[in-house]
PDB file of all heavy atoms in Angstrom:
ATOM      1  N   ARG S1396     240.798  76.527 166.957  1.00 94.00           N
ATOM      2  CA  ARG S1396     240.102  77.217 165.877  1.00 94.00           C
ATOM      3  C   ARG S1396     238.678  77.552 166.285  1.00 94.00           C
ATOM      4  O   ARG S1396     238.099  76.942 167.199  1.00 94.00           O
ATOM      5  CB  ARG S1396     240.062  76.361 164.609  1.00 94.00           C
ATOM      6  CG  ARG S1396     239.246  75.093 164.724  1.00 94.00           C
ATOM      7  CD  ARG S1396     239.112  74.362 163.408  1.00 94.00           C
ATOM      8  NE  ARG S1396     238.418  75.172 162.408  1.00 94.00           N
ATOM      9  CZ  ARG S1396     237.861  74.662 161.307  1.00 94.00           C
ATOM     10  NH1 ARG S1396     237.916  73.367 161.058  1.00 94.00           N
ATOM     11  NH2 ARG S1396     237.246  75.446 160.455  1.00 94.00           N
ATOM     12  N   VAL S1397     238.124  78.546 165.607  1.00 96.00           N
ATOM     13  CA  VAL S1397     236.701  78.850 165.732  1.00 96.00           C
ATOM     14  C   VAL S1397     235.979  77.991 164.708  1.00 96.00           C
ATOM     15  O   VAL S1397     236.108  78.193 163.499  1.00 96.00           O
ATOM     16  CB  VAL S1397     236.417  80.344 165.485  1.00 96.00           C
ATOM     17  CG1 VAL S1397     234.911  80.601 165.472  1.00 96.00           C
ATOM     18  CG2 VAL S1397     237.094  81.207 166.546  1.00 96.00           C
ATOM     19  N   LEU S1398     235.249  77.004 165.200  1.00 96.00           N
ATOM     20  CA  LEU S1398     234.550  76.081 164.312  1.00 96.00           C
ATOM     21  C   LEU S1398     233.322  76.727 163.693  1.00 96.00           C
ATOM     22  O   LEU S1398     233.004  76.496 162.525  1.00 96.00           O
ATOM     23  CB  LEU S1398     234.149  74.826 165.084  1.00 96.00           C
ATOM     24  CG  LEU S1398     233.400  73.746 164.301  1.00 96.00           C
ATOM     25  CD1 LEU S1398     234.287  73.183 163.187  1.00 96.00           C
ATOM     26  CD2 LEU S1398     232.939  72.636 165.237  1.00 96.00           C
ATOM     27  N   ALA S1399     232.619  77.533 164.482  1.00 97.00           N
ATOM     28  CA  ALA S1399     231.389  78.152 163.987  1.00 97.00           C
ATOM     29  C   ALA S1399     231.034  79.340 164.854  1.00 97.00           C
ATOM     30  O   ALA S1399     231.537  79.493 165.977  1.00 97.00           O
ATOM     31  CB  ALA S1399     230.241  77.144 163.972  1.00 97.00           C
ATOM     32  N   THR S1400     230.155  80.180 164.336  1.00 98.00           N
ATOM     33  CA  THR S1400     229.659  81.356 165.049  1.00 98.00           C
ATOM     34  C   THR S1400     228.126  81.347 165.045  1.00 98.00           C
ATOM     35  O   THR S1400     227.490  80.622 164.269  1.00 98.00           O
ATOM     36  CB  THR S1400     230.140  82.658 164.388  1.00 98.00           C
ATOM     37  OG1 THR S1400     229.630  82.706 163.042  1.00 98.00           O
ATOM     38  CG2 THR S1400     231.657  82.727 164.351  1.00 98.00           C
ATOM     39  N   GLY S1401     227.556  82.169 165.903  1.00 98.00           N
ATOM     40  CA  GLY S1401     226.108  82.329 165.937  1.00 98.00           C
ATOM     41  C   GLY S1401     225.770  83.554 166.755  1.00 98.00           C
ATOM     42  O   GLY S1401     226.584  84.002 167.566  1.00 98.00           O
ATOM     43  N   SER S1402     224.598  84.102 166.572  1.00 98.00           N
ATOM     44  CA  SER S1402     224.220  85.293 167.331  1.00 98.00           C
ATOM     45  C   SER S1402     222.711  85.412 167.414  1.00 98.00           C
ATOM     46  O   SER S1402     221.969  84.752 166.668  1.00 98.00           O
ATOM     47  CB  SER S1402     224.811  86.564 166.703  1.00 98.00           C
ATOM     48  OG  SER S1402     224.321  86.759 165.395  1.00 98.00           O
ATOM     49  N   TYR S1403     222.285  86.255 168.329  1.00 98.00           N
ATOM     50  CA  TYR S1403     220.851  86.530 168.482  1.00 98.00           C
ATOM     51  C   TYR S1403     220.674  87.951 168.980  1.00 98.00           C
ATOM     52  O   TYR S1403     221.383  88.402 169.890  1.00 98.00           O
ATOM     53  CB  TYR S1403     220.211  85.565 169.478  1.00 98.00           C
ATOM     54  CG  TYR S1403     218.769  85.917 169.800  1.00 98.00           C
ATOM     55  CD1 TYR S1403     217.741  85.599 168.915  1.00 98.00           C
ATOM     56  CD2 TYR S1403     218.450  86.594 170.975  1.00 98.00           C
ATOM     57  CE1 TYR S1403     216.429  85.946 169.191  1.00 98.00           C
ATOM     58  CE2 TYR S1403     217.132  86.935 171.263  1.00 98.00           C
ATOM     59  CZ  TYR S1403     216.137  86.606 170.364  1.00 98.00           C
ATOM     60  OH  TYR S1403     214.834  86.952 170.642  1.00 98.00           O
ATOM     61  N   VAL S1404     219.734  88.678 168.375  1.00 98.00           N
ATOM     62  CA  VAL S1404     219.335  89.996 168.858  1.00 98.00           C
ATOM     63  C   VAL S1404     217.827  90.000 169.056  1.00 98.00           C
ATOM     64  O   VAL S1404     217.094  89.342 168.307  1.00 98.00           O
ATOM     65  CB  VAL S1404     219.751  91.123 167.885  1.00 98.00           C
ATOM     66  CG1 VAL S1404     221.265  91.227 167.802  1.00 98.00           C
ATOM     67  CG2 VAL S1404     219.160  90.902 166.503  1.00 98.00           C
ATOM     68  N   PRO S1405     217.339  90.698 170.065  1.00 98.00           N
ATOM     69  CA  PRO S1405     215.893  90.756 170.304  1.00 98.00           C
ATOM     70  C   PRO S1405     215.149  91.382 169.123  1.00 98.00           C
ATOM     71  O   PRO S1405     215.735  92.087 168.291  1.00 98.00           O
ATOM     72  CB  PRO S1405     215.779  91.634 171.554  1.00 98.00           C
ATOM     73  CG  PRO S1405     217.119  91.565 172.205  1.00 98.00           C
ATOM     74  CD  PRO S1405     218.101  91.431 171.088  1.00 98.00           C
ATOM     75  N   ASP S1406     213.856  91.136 169.074  1.00 96.00           N
ATOM     76  CA  ASP S1406     213.036  91.600 167.947  1.00 96.00           C
ATOM     77  C   ASP S1406     212.840  93.113 167.951  1.00 96.00           C
ATOM     78  O   ASP S1406     212.776  93.738 166.883  1.00 96.00           O
ATOM     79  CB  ASP S1406     211.658  90.922 167.971  1.00 96.00           C
ATOM     80  CG  ASP S1406     211.742  89.431 167.689  1.00 96.00           C
ATOM     81  OD1 ASP S1406     212.710  89.016 167.014  1.00 96.00           O
ATOM     82  OD2 ASP S1406     210.856  88.688 168.141  1.00 96.00           O
ATOM     83  N   GLN S1407     212.718  93.710 169.135  1.00 96.00           N
ATOM     84  CA  GLN S1407     212.370  95.132 169.203  1.00 96.00           C
ATOM     85  C   GLN S1407     213.513  96.014 168.722  1.00 96.00           C
ATOM     86  O   GLN S1407     214.629  95.960 169.250  1.00 96.00           O
ATOM     87  CB  GLN S1407     211.981  95.541 170.619  1.00 96.00           C
ATOM     88  CG  GLN S1407     211.522  96.997 170.708  1.00 96.00           C
ATOM     89  CD  GLN S1407     211.232  97.446 172.128  1.00 96.00           C
ATOM     90  OE1 GLN S1407     211.479  96.721 173.073  1.00 96.00           O
ATOM     91  NE2 GLN S1407     210.711  98.657 172.267  1.00 96.00           N
ATOM     92  N   ILE S1408     213.242  96.841 167.727  1.00 96.00           N
ATOM     93  CA  ILE S1408     214.199  97.810 167.208  1.00 96.00           C
ATOM     94  C   ILE S1408     213.825  99.187 167.750  1.00 96.00           C
ATOM     95  O   ILE S1408     212.681  99.630 167.628  1.00 96.00           O
ATOM     96  CB  ILE S1408     214.197  97.833 165.673  1.00 96.00           C
ATOM     97  CG1 ILE S1408     214.591  96.458 165.118  1.00 96.00           C
ATOM     98  CG2 ILE S1408     215.131  98.916 165.149  1.00 96.00           C
ATOM     99  CD1 ILE S1408     214.457  96.351 163.609  1.00 96.00           C
ATOM    100  N   VAL S1409     214.790  99.862 168.345  1.00 94.00           N
ATOM    101  CA  VAL S1409     214.577 101.212 168.876  1.00 94.00           C
ATOM    102  C   VAL S1409     215.433 102.172 168.057  1.00 94.00           C
ATOM    103  O   VAL S1409     216.659 102.108 168.103  1.00 94.00           O
ATOM    104  CB  VAL S1409     214.952 101.297 170.368  1.00 94.00           C
ATOM    105  CG1 VAL S1409     214.731 102.713 170.886  1.00 94.00           C
ATOM    106  CG2 VAL S1409     214.155 100.293 171.184  1.00 94.00           C
ATOM    107  N   THR S1410     214.792 103.033 167.306  1.00 93.00           N
ATOM    108  CA  THR S1410     215.518 103.997 166.474  1.00 93.00           C
ATOM    109  C   THR S1410     215.833 105.255 167.266  1.00 93.00           C
ATOM    110  O   THR S1410     215.269 105.491 168.349  1.00 93.00           O
ATOM    111  CB  THR S1410     214.699 104.371 165.237  1.00 93.00           C
ATOM    112  OG1 THR S1410     213.534 105.105 165.662  1.00 93.00           O
ATOM    113  CG2 THR S1410     214.266 103.133 164.455  1.00 93.00           C
ATOM    114  N   ASN S1411     216.702 106.074 166.720  1.00 90.00           N
ATOM    115  CA  ASN S1411     217.002 107.352 167.372  1.00 90.00           C
ATOM    116  C   ASN S1411     215.750 108.212 167.483  1.00 90.00           C
ATOM    117  O   ASN S1411     215.556 108.931 168.463  1.00 90.00           O
ATOM    118  CB  ASN S1411     218.078 108.100 166.593  1.00 90.00           C
ATOM    119  CG  ASN S1411     219.426 107.406 166.661  1.00 90.00           C
ATOM    120  OD1 ASN S1411     219.661 106.558 167.517  1.00 90.00           O
ATOM    121  ND2 ASN S1411     220.310 107.772 165.748  1.00 90.00           N
ATOM    122  N   GLU S1412     214.911 108.137 166.470  1.00 90.00           N
ATOM    123  CA  GLU S1412     213.672 108.917 166.490  1.00 90.00           C
ATOM    124  C   GLU S1412     212.749 108.457 167.605  1.00 90.00           C
ATOM    125  O   GLU S1412     212.019 109.266 168.201  1.00 90.00           O
ATOM    126  CB  GLU S1412     212.969 108.805 165.138  1.00 90.00           C
ATOM    127  CG  GLU S1412     213.681 109.523 163.990  1.00 90.00           C
ATOM    128  CD  GLU S1412     214.964 108.837 163.557  1.00 90.00           C
ATOM    129  OE1 GLU S1412     215.077 107.599 163.771  1.00 90.00           O
ATOM    130  OE2 GLU S1412     215.857 109.519 163.017  1.00 90.00           O
ATOM    131  N   ASP S1413     212.778 107.154 167.913  1.00 89.00           N
ATOM    132  CA  ASP S1413     211.956 106.625 169.005  1.00 89.00           C
ATOM    133  C   ASP S1413     212.366 107.213 170.350  1.00 89.00           C
ATOM    134  O   ASP S1413     211.555 107.293 171.282  1.00 89.00           O
ATOM    135  CB  ASP S1413     212.068 105.097 169.071  1.00 89.00           C
ATOM    136  CG  ASP S1413     211.454 104.414 167.872  1.00 89.00           C
ATOM    137  OD1 ASP S1413     210.509 104.976 167.282  1.00 89.00           O
ATOM    138  OD2 ASP S1413     211.920 103.316 167.515  1.00 89.00           O
ATOM    139  N   LEU S1414     213.628 107.617 170.456  1.00 88.00           N
ATOM    140  CA  LEU S1414     214.140 108.131 171.719  1.00 88.00           C
ATOM    141  C   LEU S1414     213.915 109.627 171.891  1.00 88.00           C
ATOM    142  O   LEU S1414     214.231 110.195 172.933  1.00 88.00           O
ATOM    143  CB  LEU S1414     215.642 107.840 171.833  1.00 88.00           C
ATOM    144  CG  LEU S1414     216.034 106.356 171.849  1.00 88.00           C
ATOM    145  CD1 LEU S1414     217.553 106.220 171.887  1.00 88.00           C
ATOM    146  CD2 LEU S1414     215.404 105.626 173.020  1.00 88.00           C
ATOM    147  N   ALA S1415     213.353 110.268 170.855  1.00 83.00           N
ATOM    148  CA  ALA S1415     213.135 111.719 170.912  1.00 83.00           C
ATOM    149  C   ALA S1415     212.215 112.097 172.063  1.00 83.00           C
ATOM    150  O   ALA S1415     212.383 113.160 172.683  1.00 83.00           O
ATOM    151  CB  ALA S1415     212.562 112.220 169.593  1.00 83.00           C
ATOM    152  N   GLU S1416     211.262 111.235 172.385  1.00 80.00           N
ATOM    153  CA  GLU S1416     210.324 111.543 173.460  1.00 80.00           C
ATOM    154  C   GLU S1416     211.004 111.579 174.826  1.00 80.00           C
ATOM    155  O   GLU S1416     210.457 112.143 175.782  1.00 80.00           O
ATOM    156  CB  GLU S1416     209.189 110.518 173.473  1.00 80.00           C
ATOM    157  CG  GLU S1416     209.623 109.103 173.773  1.00 80.00           C
ATOM    158  CD  GLU S1416     208.476 108.109 173.654  1.00 80.00           C
ATOM    159  OE1 GLU S1416     207.655 108.248 172.722  1.00 80.00           O
ATOM    160  OE2 GLU S1416     208.417 107.215 174.498  1.00 80.00           O
ATOM    161  N   LEU S1417     212.208 110.991 174.914  1.00 82.00           N
ATOM    162  CA  LEU S1417     212.973 111.049 176.157  1.00 82.00           C
ATOM    163  C   LEU S1417     213.867 112.278 176.212  1.00 82.00           C
ATOM    164  O   LEU S1417     214.562 112.502 177.204  1.00 82.00           O
ATOM    165  CB  LEU S1417     213.841 109.793 176.305  1.00 82.00           C
ATOM    166  CG  LEU S1417     213.112 108.452 176.366  1.00 82.00           C
ATOM    167  CD1 LEU S1417     214.116 107.311 176.429  1.00 82.00           C
ATOM    168  CD2 LEU S1417     212.169 108.399 177.558  1.00 82.00           C
ATOM    169  N   GLY S1418     213.839 113.059 175.130  1.00 82.00           N
ATOM    170  CA  GLY S1418     214.668 114.248 175.069  1.00 82.00           C
ATOM    171  C   GLY S1418     215.992 114.034 174.363  1.00 82.00           C
ATOM    172  O   GLY S1418     216.858 114.913 174.370  1.00 82.00           O
ATOM    173  N   CYS S1419     216.164 112.848 173.751  1.00 81.00           N
ATOM    174  CA  CYS S1419     217.410 112.545 173.052  1.00 81.00           C
ATOM    175  C   CYS S1419     217.423 113.217 171.680  1.00 81.00           C
ATOM    176  O   CYS S1419     216.406 113.277 170.995  1.00 81.00           O
ATOM    177  CB  CYS S1419     217.575 111.026 172.889  1.00 81.00           C
ATOM    178  SG  CYS S1419     217.611 110.126 174.456  1.00 81.00           S
ATOM    179  N   ASP S1420     218.580 113.684 171.289  1.00 82.00           N
ATOM    180  CA  ASP S1420     218.763 114.372 170.013  1.00 82.00           C
ATOM    181  C   ASP S1420     219.328 113.384 168.997  1.00 82.00           C
ATOM    182  O   ASP S1420     220.475 112.945 169.115  1.00 82.00           O
ATOM    183  CB  ASP S1420     219.718 115.551 170.214  1.00 82.00           C
ATOM    184  CG  ASP S1420     219.893 116.391 168.948  1.00 82.00           C
ATOM    185  OD1 ASP S1420     219.750 115.847 167.844  1.00 82.00           O
ATOM    186  OD2 ASP S1420     220.206 117.593 169.080  1.00 82.00           O
ATOM    187  N   SER S1421     218.517 113.034 167.986  1.00 84.00           N
ATOM    188  CA  SER S1421     218.933 112.037 166.997  1.00 84.00           C
ATOM    189  C   SER S1421     220.209 112.447 166.278  1.00 84.00           C
ATOM    190  O   SER S1421     221.114 111.629 166.069  1.00 84.00           O
ATOM    191  CB  SER S1421     217.812 111.811 165.985  1.00 84.00           C
ATOM    192  OG  SER S1421     218.214 110.905 164.983  1.00 84.00           O
ATOM    193  N   ASP S1422     220.296 113.709 165.886  1.00 83.00           N
ATOM    194  CA  ASP S1422     221.487 114.177 165.173  1.00 83.00           C
ATOM    195  C   ASP S1422     222.737 114.081 166.049  1.00 83.00           C
ATOM    196  O   ASP S1422     223.816 113.721 165.565  1.00 83.00           O
ATOM    197  CB  ASP S1422     221.298 115.631 164.706  1.00 83.00           C
ATOM    198  CG  ASP S1422     220.256 115.762 163.611  1.00 83.00           C
ATOM    199  OD1 ASP S1422     220.001 114.741 162.935  1.00 83.00           O
ATOM    200  OD2 ASP S1422     219.703 116.858 163.441  1.00 83.00           O
ATOM    201  N   TRP S1423     222.588 114.418 167.328  1.00 82.00           N
ATOM    202  CA  TRP S1423     223.717 114.316 168.251  1.00 82.00           C
ATOM    203  C   TRP S1423     224.174 112.874 168.356  1.00 82.00           C
ATOM    204  O   TRP S1423     225.389 112.584 168.343  1.00 82.00           O
ATOM    205  CB  TRP S1423     223.339 114.841 169.621  1.00 82.00           C
ATOM    206  CG  TRP S1423     224.460 114.772 170.629  1.00 82.00           C
ATOM    207  CD1 TRP S1423     225.366 115.749 170.904  1.00 82.00           C
ATOM    208  CD2 TRP S1423     224.795 113.668 171.481  1.00 82.00           C
ATOM    209  NE1 TRP S1423     226.253 115.320 171.876  1.00 82.00           N
ATOM    210  CE2 TRP S1423     225.930 114.049 172.247  1.00 82.00           C
ATOM    211  CE3 TRP S1423     224.255 112.395 171.676  1.00 82.00           C
ATOM    212  CZ2 TRP S1423     226.525 113.210 173.184  1.00 82.00           C
ATOM    213  CZ3 TRP S1423     224.858 111.548 172.600  1.00 82.00           C
ATOM    214  CH2 TRP S1423     225.972 111.960 173.349  1.00 82.00           C
ATOM    215  N   ILE S1424     223.236 111.933 168.466  1.00 89.00           N
ATOM    216  CA  ILE S1424     223.590 110.517 168.598  1.00 89.00           C
ATOM    217  C   ILE S1424     224.399 110.044 167.399  1.00 89.00           C
ATOM    218  O   ILE S1424     225.450 109.404 167.543  1.00 89.00           O
ATOM    219  CB  ILE S1424     222.320 109.650 168.755  1.00 89.00           C
ATOM    220  CG1 ILE S1424     221.574 110.009 170.043  1.00 89.00           C
ATOM    221  CG2 ILE S1424     222.687 108.164 168.765  1.00 89.00           C
ATOM    222  CD1 ILE S1424     220.208 109.370 170.158  1.00 89.00           C
ATOM    223  N   VAL S1425     223.937 110.385 166.201  1.00 89.00           N
ATOM    224  CA  VAL S1425     224.637 109.956 164.985  1.00 89.00           C
ATOM    225  C   VAL S1425     225.996 110.627 164.879  1.00 89.00           C
ATOM    226  O   VAL S1425     227.013 109.976 164.583  1.00 89.00           O
ATOM    227  CB  VAL S1425     223.785 110.264 163.733  1.00 89.00           C
ATOM    228  CG1 VAL S1425     224.563 109.910 162.463  1.00 89.00           C
ATOM    229  CG2 VAL S1425     222.475 109.500 163.778  1.00 89.00           C
ATOM    230  N   ARG S1426     226.032 111.905 165.145  1.00 85.00           N
ATOM    231  CA  ARG S1426     227.277 112.652 164.998  1.00 85.00           C
ATOM    232  C   ARG S1426     228.341 112.211 165.998  1.00 85.00           C
ATOM    233  O   ARG S1426     229.518 112.085 165.649  1.00 85.00           O
ATOM    234  CB  ARG S1426     226.985 114.145 165.176  1.00 85.00           C
ATOM    235  CG  ARG S1426     228.183 115.050 164.903  1.00 85.00           C
ATOM    236  CD  ARG S1426     227.792 116.514 164.942  1.00 85.00           C
ATOM    237  NE  ARG S1426     227.328 116.956 166.246  1.00 85.00           N
ATOM    238  CZ  ARG S1426     226.067 117.203 166.567  1.00 85.00           C
ATOM    239  NH1 ARG S1426     225.102 117.042 165.649  1.00 85.00           N
ATOM    240  NH2 ARG S1426     225.733 117.597 167.785  1.00 85.00           N
ATOM    241  N   ARG S1427     227.938 111.934 167.218  1.00 83.00           N
ATOM    242  CA  ARG S1427     228.895 111.604 168.263  1.00 83.00           C
ATOM    243  C   ARG S1427     229.208 110.115 168.359  1.00 83.00           C
ATOM    244  O   ARG S1427     230.260 109.732 168.884  1.00 83.00           O
ATOM    245  CB  ARG S1427     228.363 112.069 169.623  1.00 83.00           C
ATOM    246  CG  ARG S1427     228.118 113.566 169.708  1.00 83.00           C
ATOM    247  CD  ARG S1427     229.401 114.354 169.704  1.00 83.00           C
ATOM    248  NE  ARG S1427     230.176 114.156 170.928  1.00 83.00           N
ATOM    249  CZ  ARG S1427     231.328 114.760 171.186  1.00 83.00           C
ATOM    250  NH1 ARG S1427     231.851 115.596 170.300  1.00 83.00           N
ATOM    251  NH2 ARG S1427     231.978 114.534 172.310  1.00 83.00           N
ATOM    252  N   THR S1428     228.311 109.255 167.856  1.00 88.00           N
ATOM    253  CA  THR S1428     228.511 107.818 168.062  1.00 88.00           C
ATOM    254  C   THR S1428     228.408 106.985 166.792  1.00 88.00           C
ATOM    255  O   THR S1428     228.968 105.891 166.734  1.00 88.00           O
ATOM    256  CB  THR S1428     227.478 107.265 169.064  1.00 88.00           C
ATOM    257  OG1 THR S1428     226.179 107.238 168.455  1.00 88.00           O
ATOM    258  CG2 THR S1428     227.431 108.116 170.329  1.00 88.00           C
ATOM    259  N   GLY S1429     227.649 107.442 165.799  1.00 91.00           N
ATOM    260  CA  GLY S1429     227.421 106.644 164.604  1.00 91.00           C
ATOM    261  C   GLY S1429     226.276 105.654 164.730  1.00 91.00           C
ATOM    262  O   GLY S1429     226.007 104.882 163.798  1.00 91.00           O
ATOM    263  N   ILE S1430     225.576 105.666 165.857  1.00 93.00           N
ATOM    264  CA  ILE S1430     224.499 104.695 166.102  1.00 93.00           C
ATOM    265  C   ILE S1430     223.182 105.204 165.504  1.00 93.00           C
ATOM    266  O   ILE S1430     222.793 106.352 165.726  1.00 93.00           O
ATOM    267  CB  ILE S1430     224.326 104.447 167.616  1.00 93.00           C
ATOM    268  CG1 ILE S1430     225.615 103.863 168.202  1.00 93.00           C
ATOM    269  CG2 ILE S1430     223.152 103.511 167.886  1.00 93.00           C
ATOM    270  CD1 ILE S1430     225.644 103.841 169.723  1.00 93.00           C
ATOM    271  N   LEU S1431     222.510 104.343 164.755  1.00 93.00           N
ATOM    272  CA  LEU S1431     221.215 104.668 164.159  1.00 93.00           C
ATOM    273  C   LEU S1431     220.065 103.995 164.887  1.00 93.00           C
ATOM    274  O   LEU S1431     218.964 104.535 164.968  1.00 93.00           O
ATOM    275  CB  LEU S1431     221.188 104.258 162.689  1.00 93.00           C
ATOM    276  CG  LEU S1431     222.234 104.914 161.776  1.00 93.00           C
ATOM    277  CD1 LEU S1431     222.147 104.323 160.373  1.00 93.00           C
ATOM    278  CD2 LEU S1431     222.036 106.422 161.738  1.00 93.00           C
ATOM    279  N   ARG S1432     220.313 102.789 165.376  1.00 95.00           N
ATOM    280  CA  ARG S1432     219.272 102.012 166.056  1.00 95.00           C
ATOM    281  C   ARG S1432     219.940 100.997 166.964  1.00 95.00           C
ATOM    282  O   ARG S1432     221.127 100.745 166.863  1.00 95.00           O
ATOM    283  CB  ARG S1432     218.339 101.333 165.050  1.00 95.00           C
ATOM    284  CG  ARG S1432     219.043 100.442 164.043  1.00 95.00           C
ATOM    285  CD  ARG S1432     218.129 100.029 162.903  1.00 95.00           C
ATOM    286  NE  ARG S1432     217.754 101.167 162.086  1.00 95.00           N
ATOM    287  CZ  ARG S1432     218.478 101.636 161.072  1.00 95.00           C
ATOM    288  NH1 ARG S1432     219.624 101.057 160.759  1.00 95.00           N
ATOM    289  NH2 ARG S1432     218.078 102.674 160.381  1.00 95.00           N
ATOM    290  N   ARG S1433     219.156 100.389 167.832  1.00 95.00           N
ATOM    291  CA  ARG S1433     219.647  99.367 168.732  1.00 95.00           C
ATOM    292  C   ARG S1433     218.504  98.423 169.056  1.00 95.00           C
ATOM    293  O   ARG S1433     217.343  98.723 168.768  1.00 95.00           O
ATOM    294  CB  ARG S1433     220.263  99.953 170.005  1.00 95.00           C
ATOM    295  CG  ARG S1433     219.313 100.559 171.008  1.00 95.00           C
ATOM    296  CD  ARG S1433     218.732 101.892 170.620  1.00 95.00           C
ATOM    297  NE  ARG S1433     219.740 102.946 170.517  1.00 95.00           N
ATOM    298  CZ  ARG S1433     219.649 103.947 169.670  1.00 95.00           C
ATOM    299  NH1 ARG S1433     218.594 104.058 168.853  1.00 95.00           N
ATOM    300  NH2 ARG S1433     220.570 104.883 169.610  1.00 95.00           N
ATOM    301  N   ARG S1434     218.789  97.278 169.650  1.00 97.00           N
ATOM    302  CA  ARG S1434     217.759  96.301 170.018  1.00 97.00           C
ATOM    303  C   ARG S1434     217.508  96.335 171.514  1.00 97.00           C
ATOM    304  O   ARG S1434     218.419  96.579 172.309  1.00 97.00           O
ATOM    305  CB  ARG S1434     218.184  94.882 169.602  1.00 97.00           C
ATOM    306  CG  ARG S1434     218.437  94.710 168.106  1.00 97.00           C
ATOM    307  CD  ARG S1434     217.178  94.974 167.279  1.00 97.00           C
ATOM    308  NE  ARG S1434     217.432  94.801 165.853  1.00 97.00           N
ATOM    309  CZ  ARG S1434     217.070  93.724 165.148  1.00 97.00           C
ATOM    310  NH1 ARG S1434     216.411  92.741 165.746  1.00 97.00           N
ATOM    311  NH2 ARG S1434     217.349  93.644 163.863  1.00 97.00           N
TER     312      ARG S1434
END
């Protein structure tokens, strides 16, 4: 059995808008993947 669970994600949140300076298209990311942000 799984007795318990736990998780950890880093503090820094990177939004799609944060990636715009790299040339990433926020609308494309959401439309093609469903991702809004990541750590």
